[in-house]
Amino acid sequence: MTSVSTNYSNPYAGSAYSRAVATQPSLATLLSGQEDSHGSASAATHLTLSQAARAQLATSSAKDFAAVISEARSALDKLYSDAKVTGPYDSAGKPTVDLTSLDRRALFAIASNSGAKFTPDEQALAANELKTRFNTALSAATQTQQLTGDFSALYKVALDYLDAAGPEEKATVTWATQREAVVKGLQATQQNPSKAPSGISNDPVAAYLAQYPNGSSIPTQDFGSVAKSVRAKLDAQASAAAAAGKELVFDPGRKTGQLADLSQIDNRSLSAIALNQDQLFSAQETFAAKQELNARGRASILAALKQSQTSGDPTQLSLGILNAYSAMSSEERQAANWTTALRDHAVQSYKSTSSLLSMLRG
């Protein structure tokens, strides 16, 4: 049977547990820090969540962990039923189901065998998915570090990942010791950003770099298969709308019809719609996908800008943009028009800003 590393993949054994809307500045404005015709880059912009997104956040934060456990058990059983299998691994030790649709609390519930409702194989598969998510988070930051020479981005991403854990995960000794190690690593990089911290016990970033010095490869589904899968999702929305006597529409300005929900479609799938390489999508669908991708791109830049402002560190804007760029597949970059020129400009901006700050501190 497939074995799972215990370094980060299963630290839980035995534990108890949209759209960016309104007036938005251009990319050039955000990079330069200048004002556009609508006012300042920060003051003229605000982000809103849809009612569905706010409801989902409220539900997830208030949900009792017993309900999370029960829902995780049901979700696993449905995955088995849909795949016509009886367990998480086949006879060759390969996974039979994909857990990417489960949120982190559900994965933690499975990996820690909360409520004693999950088999060892299910625990191993969930733990491996958690490890993959951690590796994915660090992979982009590792590529950014190679562009900038700054290891602090790695530790900031790791700290953000740990802080995004649910309350049950945060109650574990493993979480506490790893967070303490990451904070120490971050403090070390603030003293010398160009040197990777060493000698810190339980440091998950150091363990990651030891295994993946150039960043871990992120497995991606064939782009044609991605397009077919998202085509099916849109068709399912159209069928649901038709059953309600409505037409599925993609223009939020339409007075009639049911507006398609693109909020739950990942960026690579949106890129498949926007690029429409296999001619599976209508002009309205491709335009809507491009608009959604643009909104998400602006939101990621605004998040980096906010981090830069709240931290008082102007390099955080460039680092945030580079992390977002590094996390994209080639198709996502093409669809969102995030070019190598944009990347190079962000690298230059980071290095020049860092140099100025170093001179001022010196």
Side-chain angles (χ1 to χ4, degrees):
M1 186 59 61
T2 302
S3 62
V4 180
S5 169
T6 57
N7 183 34
Y8 189 85
S9 58
N10 194 358
Y12 316 119
S15 59
Y17 323 39
S18 129
R19 185 187 297 272
V21 296
T23 307
Q24 297 179 343
S26 67
L27 180 58
T29 298
L30 289 170
L31 285 172
S32 65
Q34 299 172 348
E35 293 188 355
D36 62 13
S37 60
H38 301 292
S40 70
S42 59
T45 306
H46 65 275
L47 304 179
T48 62
L49 291 175
S50 66
Q51 289 184 348
R54 289 196 297 269
Q56 184 177 2
L57 286 173
T59 300
S60 62
S61 61
K63 188 179 296 182
D64 182 80
F65 195 50
V68 174
I69 296 170
S70 177
E71 290 173 7
R73 179 68 268 168
S74 297
L76 269 178
D77 292 340
K78 186 176 188 306
L79 286 172
Y80 296 151
S81 176
D82 291 346
K84 296 180 173 56
V85 296
T86 58
Y89 294 103
D90 62 19
S91 58
K94 294 182 180 180
T96 59
V97 291
D98 182 356
L99 302 186
T100 55
S101 61
L102 274 63
D103 67 24
R104 187 161 166 183
R105 284 184 83 198
L107 288 171
F108 175 82
I110 300 169
S112 60
N113 192 24
S114 298
K117 291 184 177 296
F118 307 97
T119 69
D121 282 349
E122 290 171 340
Q123 295 170 54
L125 188 63
N128 193 61
E129 174 63 20
L130 286 170
K131 179 182 179 182
T132 297
R133 294 187 186 187
F134 179 75
N135 288 352
T136 299
L138 286 192
S139 179
T142 301
Q143 295 174 52
T144 297
Q145 181 275 319
Q146 292 178 334
L147 291 169
T148 64
D150 186 347
F151 283 91
S152 67
L154 275 164
Y155 281 85
K156 288 170 183 172
V157 167
L159 186 60
D160 287 344
Y161 181 89
L162 289 169
D163 286 346
E168 300 80 21
E169 187 176 347
K170 287 181 178 179
T172 63
V173 172
T174 296
W175 183 90
T177 55
Q178 288 190 336
R179 190 183 189 282
E180 180 182 6
V182 168
V183 169
K184 289 180 179 178
L186 182 57
Q187 292 170 344
T189 63
Q190 290 170 346
Q191 297 298 317
N192 187 353
S194 63
K195 182 180 179 181
S198 60
I200 302 174
S201 299
N202 303 305
D203 183 355
V205 179
Y208 173 85
L209 289 175
Q211 186 174 5
Y212 304 108
N214 298 315
S216 52
S217 59
I218 306 302
T220 54
Q221 188 180 16
D222 173 74
F223 201 55
S225 299
V226 172
K228 291 177 182 177
S229 177
V230 73
R231 175 71 271 167
K233 291 180 180 179
L234 292 179
D235 290 344
Q237 288 195 33
S239 296
K246 298 180 180 179
E247 175 190 4
L248 187 68
V249 298
F250 293 84
D251 180 1
R254 284 278 298 268
K255 302 298 183 183
T256 59
Q258 179 173 307
L259 184 64
D261 181 9
L262 303 183
S263 64
Q264 300 302 311
I265 297 178
D266 64 85
N267 286 359
R268 197 153 187 261
S269 296
L270 283 173
S271 300
I273 302 172
L275 295 176
N276 199 17
Q277 293 179 348
D278 297 326
Q279 302 300 306
L280 296 177
F281 307 98
S282 69
Q284 291 83 2
E285 289 169 335
T286 58
F287 181 77
K290 289 176 182 178
Q291 292 295 100
E292 178 71 15
L293 281 171
N294 287 340
R296 294 183 187 184
R298 288 192 295 269
S300 69
I301 295 169
L302 290 169
L305 177 62
K306 182 178 179 181
Q307 174 64 21
S308 177
Q309 293 172 331
T310 56
S311 68
D313 180 359
T315 64
Q316 291 305 302
L317 174 57
S318 300
L319 285 176
I321 291 170
L322 289 170
N323 280 337
Y325 179 93
S326 298
M328 294 178 178
S329 65
S330 59
E331 296 90 356
E332 289 171 60
R333 292 169 188 160
Q334 180 183 353
N337 196 31
W338 281 49
T339 63
T340 54
L342 167 64
R343 178 202 64 194
D344 294 344
H345 184 79
V347 171
Q348 182 181 11
S349 175
Y350 168 83
K351 290 183 175 180
S352 61
T353 304
S354 296
S355 179
L356 286 171
L357 289 173
S358 179
M359 291 172 63
L360 291 171
R361 295 187 187 111

